[in-house]
């Protein structure tokens, strides 16, 4: 059941939903929404998915405006793929700590240290960093993209845990950047083992941004879109999920007959496993974005072509 939160539209959720629907028609806007967004935001979405799915969708949106309910690197990717549209990020502060862990200068230096390596960059990265990369990937296609590179060495950034996940599955030498996602980095092996004791018959699915020992202990290591697909396919009734709360809430709504437990055990787990950048966007932000059209994404012309090339490489390989 949806609850109005402190920063939800003050007139209440149902009235806000009606206003959003009317404004979407009036402004000819299409709402893309990431799997980690709050449930009430998902209710106004035209498409929900992971970065790969949303990038593919962004390319063909016919509407004048794209309102991207997610974080900055996602809205930037949508703008790269569909430059004639007004792409709006409803909350300008919605960034990504993982993306911020690598900048263009440090990547240039890293590349100079490994001149034979191709560069595969996780989509959680800035346009500047994408422009210096050979190909972009998401967690659902990272291995495929690395394998498609025409070199035995691949620089992989910025997530070291995803790099370790791929490294164990490819014969290529994966050279990791040492970044990590603060939400996924908090999961520990001991936490997972205790969670298993509490829910012994649960199928354990964790995200590849979790530390390697947590990945090893899990039954499945999957991206968010793969988790959604796997739960539909698997017979288990109970699941322990190691990722951001938005995905767990989505699973609970989609499968009310099953139980989904967060791997994270702390009492305030909802907060600990909720990405503050993802959760800054509420219905009030979407309403404001539709009313004002502010916070449109702009991309410097010199970055556009090389960053787009790297993103398109992902879309070709991931097809
Ligand atoms: O690709 C994405 O959207 C991210 C960042 C994670 C995932 O597993 O979906």
């Amino acid at each position: 059941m949806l609850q109005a939160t402190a920063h939800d539209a003050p007139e209440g959720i149902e009235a806000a939903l009606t206003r959003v629907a009317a404004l979407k028609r009036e402004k000819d806007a299409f709402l893309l929404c990431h799997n980690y967004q709050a449930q009430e935001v998902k209710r106004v979405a035209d498409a929900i998915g992971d970065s790969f799915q949303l990038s593919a969708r962004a390319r063909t949106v016919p509407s004048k405006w794209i309102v991207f309910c997610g974080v900055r690197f996602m809205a930037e990717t949508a703008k790269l793929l569909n430059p004639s549209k007004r792409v709006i990020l409803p909350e300008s502060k919605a960034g990504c700590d993982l993306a911020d862990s690598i900048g263009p200068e440090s990547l240039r230096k890293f590349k100079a240290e490994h001149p034979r390596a191709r560069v595969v960059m996780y989509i959680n990265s800035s346009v500047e960093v994408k422009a210096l990369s050979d190909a972009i990937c998401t967690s659902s296609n990272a291995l495929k993209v690395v394998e498609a590179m025409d070199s035995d060495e691949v620089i992989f950034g910025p997530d070291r845990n995803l790099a370790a996940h791929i490294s164990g599955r490819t014969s290529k030498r994966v050279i990791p950047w040492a970044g990590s996602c603060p939400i996924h980095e908090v999961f520990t092996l001991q936490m997972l083992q205790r969670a298993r004791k509490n829910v012994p018959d649960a199928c354990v699915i964790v995200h590849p941004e979790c530390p390697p020992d947590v990945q090893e202990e899990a039954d499945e290591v999957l991206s968010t879109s793969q988790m959604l697909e796997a739960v539909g396919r698997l017979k288990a009734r109970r699941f322990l999920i190691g990722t951001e709360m938005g995905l767990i809430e989505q699973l609970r709504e989609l499968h009310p007959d099953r139980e989904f437990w967060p791997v994270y055990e702390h009492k305030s787990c909802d907060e600990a496993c909720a990405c503050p950048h993802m959760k800054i966007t509420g219905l009030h932000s979407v309403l404001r974005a539709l009313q004002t059209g502010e916070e449109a994404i702009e991309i410097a012309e010199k970055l556009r072509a090389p960053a787009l090339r790297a993103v398109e490489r992902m879309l070709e390989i991931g097809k």
Side-chain angles (χ1 to χ4, degrees), residues 9-26 44 283-284 286-288 290-291:
E11 69 268 47
I13 285 184
E14 294 306 326
L17 293 175
T18 310
R19 283 179 64 203
V20 168
L23 278 166
K24 273 196 334 189
R25 278 194 300 277
E26 187 188 318
V44 293
L283 276 181
H284 69 292
V286 178
L287 270 174
R288 192 184 53 234
L290 286 167
Q291 279 158 349

Side-chain angles (χ1 to χ4, degrees), residues 34 36 50-51 74 122-124 138-139 207 209 223-225:
H34 191 264
Y36 290 154
D50 68 9
S51 306
M74 298 176 180
Y122 197 20
I123 196 158
N124 301 42
T138 64
S139 33
H207 196 273
E209 288 174 28
S223 73
T224 60
S225 55

Side-chain angles (χ1 to χ4, degrees), residues 55-254:
S55 298
R57 191 67 192 85
R59 232 180 357 177
T60 58
V61 166
S63 317
K64 282 195 199 135
W65 289 11
I66 295 175
V67 176
F68 208 117
C69 300
V71 295
R72 182 163 296 275
F73 73 80
M74 298 176 180
E76 285 177 346
T77 309
K79 181 70 180 175
L80 282 172
L81 289 163
N82 207 337
S84 66
K85 307 298 172 187
R86 187 172 189 83
V87 178
I88 299 167
L89 180 66
E91 289 288 346
S92 64
K93 290 200 176 116
C96 171
D97 295 323
L98 175 58
D100 291 345
S101 73
I102 187 165
E105 275 323 304
S106 13
L107 179 55
R108 271 195 200 97
K109 256 180 82 185
F110 204 47
K111 281 173 68 164
E113 286 163 25
H114 304 282
R116 292 192 314 113
R118 291 283 181 207
V119 179
V120 174
M121 198 52 61
Y122 197 20
I123 196 158
N124 301 42
S125 52
S126 65
V127 174
E128 288 84 351
V129 164
K130 285 187 174 77
L132 293 169
S133 305
D134 294 298
I136 303 307
C137 71
T138 64
S139 33
S140 62
N141 57 28
L143 179 61
K144 218 169 160 186
V145 175
V146 166
E147 293 273 271
M149 293 298 104
D150 61 355
S151 64
D152 319 331
E153 290 187 357
V154 175
I155 289 177
F156 189 94
D159 193 287
R160 62 173 175 226
N161 296 329
L162 181 55
H165 178 69
I166 295 154
S167 193
R169 288 163 176 78
T170 179
S171 57
K172 292 187 193 284
R173 178 173 171 237
V174 176
I175 307 164
W177 182 257
S180 63
C181 161
I183 302 304
H184 290 91
E185 190 67 14
V186 296
F187 293 101
T188 65
L189 177 61
Q190 292 72 22
M191 200 185 264
L192 177 46
Q193 286 167 340
R194 279 195 294 268
R196 261 204 202 276
K197 268 196 195 139
N198 291 338
V199 198
D201 58 341
C203 171
V204 179
I205 310 181
V206 304
H207 196 273
E209 288 174 28
C210 292
D213 55 352
V214 174
Q215 295 185 29
E216 273 158 35
E217 177 69 19
D219 299 315
E220 308 266 357
V221 182
L222 302 173
S223 73
T224 60
S225 55
Q226 290 168 339
M227 286 185 193
L228 288 161
E229 183 276 325
V231 167
R233 172 172 44 82
L234 293 168
K235 297 270 178 286
R237 308 311 304 162
R238 292 170 171 217
F239 294 87
L240 274 161
I241 305 286
T243 193
E244 211 270 353
M245 276 309 287
L247 204 269
I248 299 179
E249 283 160 5
Q250 194 166 332
L251 285 168
R252 284 177 180 154
E253 267 203 26
L254 286 169

